[in-house]
Amino acid sequence: MFVKKVFEEKPRVKMIVGNCLEDSWCDAVKAELDKKGSPVLFIAEGVFMYLTLEEIGKFLKILKDNFSRGRLITEQNNPMMVKKQKYHDTVKATKAEFKSGTWSGQEIEDLCQGFRFIEEMRKYSFGGRLFAALLPKMNDRWASFDW
């Protein structure tokens, strides 16, 4: 697995292979959580823009069906980036394709009953702050959800 070449496993870092649109990885995560008695926190950075809204809803349902409660922090881009993706540095040199974007985290909450949108914040690098000030809805942003 390529990830194991970049990151090494540690007592608090466990590599689990799986497709986020299938629940086959959930038992391995639950087993690790049960050992530690830890609450669940999922971070989906650089994921949602490559999924359709329907697929995002499917992923949220997998989380809700397999973990009684938790928090999800996700990176989101806006719908304009889907239309202008050929100019985006992460896809212009690859065959990757942005499939969705949202104007607000509320749109993600609406995809799965039982998810609650908590807050949204913009990335806080100098360039991110400048871009957010000039075009606030265009910048990638972090959104938090509970279920």
Side-chain angles (χ1 to χ4, degrees), residues 41-51 56 59-60 63 71-77 100 102 104-109 111 115-123 139-147:
L41 168 67
F42 288 96
I43 300 173
E45 180 180 8
V47 176
F48 279 14
M49 64 273 295
Y50 299 103
L51 302 176
I56 293 169
F59 172 66
L60 299 178
L63 292 180
R71 175 158 290 178
L72 169 67
I73 300 173
T74 181
E75 178 185 23
Q76 298 179 258
N77 67 331
S100 68
T102 60
S104 166
Q106 183 64 50
E107 293 173 66
I108 300 298
E109 176 185 299
L111 296 174
F115 264 76
R116 186 174 61 88
F117 173 51
I118 301 169
E119 67 178 335
E120 196 169 80
M121 70 177 181
R122 315 263 180 261
K123 291 186 177 179
N139 202 18
D140 287 357
R141 53 206 192 278
W142 293 100
S144 301
F145 305 87
D146 281 340
W147 71 93

Side-chain angles (χ1 to χ4, degrees), residues 46-106:
V47 176
F48 279 14
M49 64 273 295
Y50 299 103
L51 302 176
T52 65
L53 291 176
E54 182 180 306
E55 289 170 330
I56 293 169
K58 182 177 181 179
F59 172 66
L60 299 178
K61 185 170 177 2
I62 287 170
L63 292 180
K64 196 175 113 207
D65 290 350
N66 285 279
F67 304 94
S68 58
R69 62 184 187 87
R71 175 158 290 178
L72 169 67
I73 300 173
T74 181
E75 178 185 23
Q76 298 179 258
N77 67 331
N78 72 68
M80 295 296 290
M81 290 308 300
V82 176
K83 294 176 185 168
K84 303 289 185 188
Q85 64 184 295
K86 67 182 178 183
Y87 303 110
H88 197 283
D89 59 340
T90 62
V91 295
K92 68 182 178 186
T94 69
K95 293 182 182 185
E97 178 184 346
F98 290 158
K99 295 181 179 177
S100 68
T102 60
W103 292 112
S104 166
Q106 183 64 50

Side-chain angles (χ1 to χ4, degrees), residues 118-134:
I118 301 169
E119 67 178 335
E120 196 169 80
M121 70 177 181
R122 315 263 180 261
K123 291 186 177 179
Y124 287 104
S125 65
F126 173 74
R129 284 194 306 267
L130 178 63
F131 193 67
L134 297 174

